[in-house]
Amino acid sequence: SLCFLHHQLPPVPMGELAPVTLDRTVAFLEKSDGRDKFVKALQNFLKYLVWMYAAKGDKDTSNVYKKLASALSEYRSINKFGKPFKALKDIRSIGNPGDIADTMDVATNIFDIVYKFGDNLEFLSKYKILGFNPDDMERHSKAAQFWCYLTQFLLDLIEYGKLQKLDAEQREKKWRKLRLDLLKDTTDLLRVAPPYIKRYVPAMPTHDGFASIMGTIAGATGAYGVWLKTK
């Protein structure tokens, strides 16, 4: 579990790794991935507010936040155009898979391509630019998204196993990044897994409030990961 992992390796010195400066902030905002992850966190937090106010019976306030969340969703859909090429580049850089981790990495990128390309087709079909059924495109995209997050989560576990073979200094350095990845990928998986499983197991419970919280954590963690890489 994540609690077990927390006690196995030293904490990340967050402040030392991410000084807040104007140059770093500008550089972060210039990165499409940084903006996307930040907006993802905000979008999912708005979804949580939609769920919370709807649960309280305040439909008017809920609808206001729903419109805002939908606008951010549109932005993220547009931002996904061209992203499959990065996944193709990552697959090319791996070359011939040398071990199970490389194979899992290739699989994750393939699912990511299908997920984002499906999202592109859904967006274009929604506005009648293409003639596909948007609901069908969304269904295929969401399925690929689930498998992308699942294989990425499994890849994180494989990388965690490799850490145990390193000396303390190397382990601590690599753990700083991996722990963020684990948090991001675990919450992403917990967000998308219930709706996907429910397709085949109708009794599977889903919860919009829980999903939006997981999405907020995943987005914020992803944004922070980009922030750490920004200088």
Side-chain angles (χ1 to χ4, degrees):
S1 69
L2 292 178
C3 291
F4 170 77
L5 296 178
H6 174 78
H7 292 291
Q8 292 300 302
L9 290 166
V12 181
M14 298 294 187
E16 296 178 14
L17 289 175
V20 178
T21 64
L22 179 59
D23 288 344
R24 182 191 282 262
T25 301
V26 171
F28 172 81
L29 293 175
E30 287 178 342
K31 293 185 176 183
S32 63
D33 198 37
R35 294 194 304 272
D36 179 67
K37 295 298 187 293
F38 175 79
V39 172
K40 177 180 178 177
L42 181 58
Q43 174 198 4
N44 279 277
F45 179 69
L46 290 172
K47 285 183 177 181
Y48 173 76
L49 295 179
V50 170
W51 170 83
M52 183 183 72
Y53 282 104
K56 291 180 177 181
D58 189 347
K59 293 184 178 180
D60 290 338
T61 304
S62 178
N63 286 334
V64 169
Y65 287 120
K66 185 175 182 179
K67 290 178 182 178
L68 289 172
S70 296
L72 295 182
S73 177
E74 294 278 275
Y75 165 80
R76 295 193 64 227
S77 290
I78 294 172
N79 202 41
K80 287 186 178 74
F81 280 88
K83 288 294 182 72
F85 290 106
K86 181 181 182 301
L88 284 172
K89 181 181 177 182
D90 291 341
I91 292 174
R92 187 174 181 179
S93 68
I94 295 170
N96 293 324
D99 57 16
I100 184 63
D102 286 345
T103 302
M104 197 71 70
D105 201 0
V106 170
T108 299
N109 280 289
I110 290 174
F111 287 127
D112 192 45
I113 290 170
V114 177
Y115 155 49
K116 290 187 170 69
F117 187 61
D119 190 86
N120 295 161
L121 293 179
E122 177 197 351
F123 181 86
L124 294 173
S125 300
K126 176 182 176 180
Y127 290 101
K128 310 300 181 182
I129 297 173
L130 296 178
F132 300 112
N133 185 317
D135 292 335
D136 289 343
M137 294 301 100
E138 181 182 22
R139 181 177 175 84
H140 297 321
S141 177
K142 294 298 184 184
Q145 182 186 39
F146 165 78
W147 288 105
C148 174
Y149 290 163
L150 176 61
T151 52
Q152 183 60 63
F153 173 74
L154 295 175
L155 180 59
D156 290 342
L157 295 183
I158 292 172
E159 293 300 324
Y160 174 74
K162 291 181 177 180
L163 288 185
Q164 311 313 306
K165 301 175 183 179
L166 303 176
D167 59 55
E169 183 177 352
Q170 289 179 311
R171 187 166 65 243
E172 179 180 354
K173 183 178 180 181
K174 289 183 177 295
W175 175 240
R176 291 174 179 174
K177 178 181 183 301
L178 181 57
R179 184 158 68 176
L180 285 175
D181 289 342
L182 264 172
L183 178 58
K184 174 178 66 69
D185 297 333
T186 300
T187 50
D188 259 337
L189 181 61
L190 290 174
R191 176 173 64 92
V192 304
Y196 179 75
I197 296 173
K198 192 175 181 65
R199 296 184 186 183
Y200 308 100
V201 184
M204 180 70 187
T206 59
H207 192 287
D208 291 341
F210 173 79
S212 58
I213 290 173
M214 293 298 100
T216 302
I217 296 173
T221 306
Y224 186 69
V226 177
W227 176 265
L228 292 180
K229 298 175 185 176
T230 305
K231 297 181 181 180

